[in-house]
């Protein structure tokens, strides 16, 4: 199993059952250094959706009491296990990454830090769970992701935007269930 993508690279690889094991190892490290509970650390993203192709990067969701109150000690603890805060700006979310080496060119893991049990937390888990429970929707997502490579679009931002309408439609299903 090879994890890693370079800056602005978009590639998909076949589903790998070892992704879950790699997540479990990382979760143990994170629990220990951050003193979090099991329920505060979840495997998300396409590597958590059984059977579909994914970028070879593990996405991890961490729920904290209040992201606005995270201090330097929190990020120092993350750095102790190889995670660095990125300059990515997203509402109600802090993004960190782990790299293959100190060149910081190839990312292997992303951490998405959000407020625990708030909307963003629920959306990310709903998306994973909904796709894992619905084969037809999972296949539609797989087809959408591979269709990106038939366009003239390039880069991770274009890839994310290309999938955005589909993702928002799944989030809307969560609202319908409330």
């Amino acid at each position: 199993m090879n994890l890693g993508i370079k800056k602005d690279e978009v590639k998909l690889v076949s589903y790998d059952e070892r992704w879950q094991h790699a997540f479990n190892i990382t979760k143990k490290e994170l629990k220990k250094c951050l003193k979090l509970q099991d329920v505060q650390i979840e495997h998300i993203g396409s590597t958590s959706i059984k059977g579909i192709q994914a970028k070879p990067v593990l996405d991890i969701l961490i729920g904290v009491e209040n992201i606005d109150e995270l201090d330097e000690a929190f990020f120092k603890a993350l750095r102790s296990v190889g995670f660095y805060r990125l300059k990515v700006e997203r509402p109600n979310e802090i993004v960190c990454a782990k790299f293959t080496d100190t060149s910081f060119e190839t990312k292997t893991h992303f951490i998405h830090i959000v407020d625990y049990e708030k909307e963003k937390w629920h959306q990310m888990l709903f998306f994973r769970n909904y796709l894992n429970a619905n084969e037809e929707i999972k296949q539609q997502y797989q087809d959408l992701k591979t269709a990106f490579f038939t366009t003239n679009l390039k880069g991770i931002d274009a890839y994310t935007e290309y999938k955005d309408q589909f993702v928002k439609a799944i989030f809307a299903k969560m609202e319908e269930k409330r």
Side-chain angles (χ1 to χ4, degrees):
M1 173 185 68
N2 287 331
L3 290 175
I5 57 169
K6 295 187 183 313
K7 183 179 181 179
D8 213 30
E9 179 180 28
V10 181
K11 72 176 179 180
L12 297 176
V13 298
S14 296
Y15 180 79
D16 191 328
E17 302 243 346
R18 295 174 291 178
W19 289 335
Q20 185 62 45
H21 179 69
F23 164 75
N24 290 336
I25 291 169
T26 304
K27 182 176 182 173
K28 283 181 187 174
E29 289 177 337
L30 292 169
K31 275 179 54 181
K32 186 175 180 182
C33 79
L34 297 174
K35 303 192 179 9
L36 296 174
Q37 302 297 311
D38 254 8
V39 295
Q40 290 176 274
I41 306 171
E42 292 281 347
H43 186 188
I44 60 166
S46 292
T47 59
S48 70
I49 301 169
K50 293 179 175 45
I52 70 167
Q53 291 181 326
K55 294 186 315 288
V57 175
L58 292 182
D59 282 287
I60 299 166
L61 181 63
I62 291 181
V64 296
E65 189 173 319
N66 186 337
I67 63 170
D68 295 327
E69 294 179 3
L70 294 178
D71 58 11
E72 181 53 32
F74 181 89
F75 295 102
K76 185 177 181 182
L78 279 175
R79 285 191 301 274
S80 76
V81 292
F83 285 93
Y84 295 85
R85 186 174 180 169
L86 302 180
K87 293 178 183 174
V88 174
E89 297 285 332
R90 292 187 182 157
N92 305 313
E93 180 179 359
I94 296 171
V95 181
C96 299
K98 189 172 195 173
F99 299 83
T100 55
D101 57 37
T102 56
S103 72
F104 301 105
E105 289 186 24
T106 304
K107 298 171 192 79
T108 59
H109 299 66
F110 283 111
I111 291 178
H112 306 267
I113 304 167
V114 302
D115 288 323
Y116 182 65
E117 290 289 328
K118 298 287 188 225
E119 183 176 16
K120 197 147 202 147
W121 171 269
H122 290 296
Q123 285 177 333
M124 291 180 171
L125 293 180
F126 181 85
F127 186 86
R128 177 200 66 195
N129 296 342
Y130 190 80
L131 266 65
N132 273 321
N134 293 279
E135 284 300 319
E136 184 178 330
I137 302 299
K138 185 191 306 187
Q139 188 59 53
Q140 288 174 14
Y141 189 53
Q142 170 72 52
D143 294 344
L144 176 69
K145 289 168 34 149
T146 55
F148 173 80
F149 297 99
T150 66
T151 71
N152 292 327
L153 300 171
K154 301 277 186 253
I156 196 66
D157 290 339
Y159 177 72
T160 301
E161 190 173 314
Y162 187 79
K163 302 181 306 172
D164 190 56
Q165 199 169 13
F166 182 91
V167 172
K168 285 180 178 171
I170 301 301
F171 290 168
K173 291 181 183 303
M174 181 182 85
E175 294 305 316
E176 291 168 10
K177 291 186 180 254
R178 285 185 175 179

